[in-house]
Amino acid sequence: MSRKPLGQVPGIYHRAIGDIVVTAISDGYADAGIEPLRNIDLSEALLLFEEKLRPVRRASINCYLVHSEGQIALIDTGCGPYFGPTAGQLQRNLSAIGIRSDEIDAILLTHIHPDHSAGLTDVADGRRIFANARLAVHRNELAHWFDDVEMAKASDQDRRFFFDTAREQVTPYKDVVQAFEGRTEVFPGVLSRPLLGHTPGHSGFTISSKGEELLIWGDTIHIPEIQISRPEVTLTFDCDQELAAQTRKKLFEEVSARKTLIAGSHIDFPGFAHVVQRRDGYDLLPEPWSYTMR
């Protein structure tokens, strides 16, 4: 008698960008409510979910390996132990493709939120999980999350969830931090790109090789079912909601006009897609899955 499968195979997907290979690594997913949404009536938001046949708001959590010039960078580190059993799968999936944490040369953070940076450090003993990696993050992220004055302004919940977690995870890397600003080459073939609003230093990373390009845009959107067609919709955990919406609208205009391939932290795995303009707004077209790396 055959046994029924009880779980999924590892979440891994490779995509070539010229001579660079980008590997989408699933850290899992998190289910959440719609209460944090702003600039939309919640009843309307529920209707949009129903139209997409989505019973809940499920956020895919994607990280990306970049293989370039004999080195490996990891863009974001997932949730670690903070989001329960459906997330925190990064290390399992790295092992599935034979990559050890100490082989990672650089960690590139889109921003310091626990679903992106909480896989940096082992909470049990405070050790750096990526022992040989430097850490690249926008200067404004460090300035904000390590600012005691800003921390004092936050609610008790935000202090614990955002500020305490940021300090717990990032402090062990303080001697290997590269604080970038603007558009900076942070890894061979990888250029940082500030996409501000969600957090003070929220950034994307443009990967370019042999005329091909991919923009990993971090948390430009959290809820594809709503924010693609309604880019004005924000969430309570956007530090500057007006700027976040402006950044999103401008980026949609650009990537749709240029037909830029994008990848997102919270787009259904593996997260590679194009934004296309319609008469009534924008749509998201996931890139077709392929056996080859193109």
Side-chain angles (χ1 to χ4, degrees):
M1 178 182 292
S2 64
R3 294 183 353 186
K4 291 191 300 183
L6 300 177
Q8 304 293 356
V9 297
I12 307 293
Y13 187 78
H14 304 290
R15 176 65 160 89
I17 306 295
D19 287 334
I20 296 174
V21 173
V22 177
T23 302
I25 308 280
S26 175
D27 189 60
Y29 63 88
D31 290 339
I34 62 170
E35 293 77 11
L37 272 68
R38 294 295 180 267
N39 298 330
I40 188 172
D41 186 271
L42 295 188
S43 62
E44 184 180 358
L46 287 173
L47 286 175
L48 290 173
F49 274 106
E50 289 178 8
E51 288 176 3
K52 300 289 186 179
L53 303 181
R54 293 297 180 101
V56 296
R57 174 189 149 208
R58 172 162 293 178
S60 182
I61 301 167
N62 306 324
C63 307
Y64 295 91
L65 286 175
V66 181
H67 309 256
S68 179
E69 296 187 8
Q71 301 179 61
I72 306 174
L74 174 64
I75 298 177
D76 290 342
T77 66
C79 301
Y82 291 88
F83 280 65
T86 63
Q89 301 299 313
L90 174 67
Q91 293 300 325
R92 168 179 173 263
N93 287 332
L94 285 175
S95 296
I97 53 174
I99 293 180
R100 303 188 314 271
S101 299
D102 60 6
E103 294 180 283
I104 305 295
D105 298 289
I107 304 294
L108 316 179
L109 290 183
T110 59
H111 61 299
I112 301 174
H113 266 175
D115 53 328
H116 298 261
S117 59
L120 282 169
T121 296
D122 190 325
V123 296
D125 57 16
R127 70 176 176 86
R128 288 165 45 183
I129 291 175
F130 302 95
N132 298 315
R134 59 182 172 84
L135 176 64
V137 61
H138 194 288
R139 187 177 303 279
N140 289 356
E141 289 294 289
L142 300 169
H144 179 75
W145 300 113
F146 284 80
D147 187 329
D148 291 339
V149 174
E150 291 295 329
M151 185 174 179
K153 296 176 185 176
S155 66
D156 288 343
Q157 179 177 333
D158 284 355
R159 278 198 295 272
R160 291 192 302 271
F161 193 63
F162 293 115
F163 286 89
D164 287 345
T165 301
R167 296 173 185 210
E168 175 183 76
Q169 290 291 318
V170 174
T171 297
Y173 292 80
K174 63 182 179 180
D175 295 332
V176 291
V177 168
Q178 174 191 358
F180 61 78
E181 292 181 286
R183 302 198 185 205
T184 304
E185 186 174 51
V186 291
F187 194 72
V190 181
L191 198 67
S192 65
R193 173 169 182 180
L195 298 170
L196 307 182
H198 175 51
T199 62
H202 179 260
S203 299
F205 297 100
T206 299
I207 299 166
S208 304
S209 175
K210 289 193 169 180
E212 298 184 26
E213 184 175 289
L214 165 70
L215 172 62
I216 296 180
W217 70 9
D219 280 7
T220 293
I221 60 170
H222 293 82
I223 308 175
E225 298 88 349
I226 293 176
Q227 290 176 295
I228 291 292
S229 60
R230 297 283 300 275
E232 73 278 9
V233 174
T234 59
L235 294 97
T236 54
F237 38 83
D238 290 325
C239 287
D240 186 330
Q241 293 185 37
E242 183 177 352
L243 180 58
Q246 291 174 357
T247 296
R248 183 163 41 252
K249 291 174 184 178
K250 290 178 181 177
L251 194 59
F252 283 5
E253 291 175 8
E254 176 191 323
V255 299
S256 62
R258 297 185 63 227
K259 299 182 179 179
T260 303
L261 179 68
I262 62 93
S265 302
H266 300 307
I267 298 173
D268 290 345
F269 183 82
F272 298 103
H274 287 90
V275 177
V276 293
Q277 189 163 16
R278 306 295 194 194
R279 288 181 182 178
D280 57 349
Y282 294 94
D283 198 3
L284 186 73
L285 299 183
E287 185 177 62
W289 193 92
S290 175
Y291 273 110
T292 67
M293 290 191 288
R294 289 181 171 79

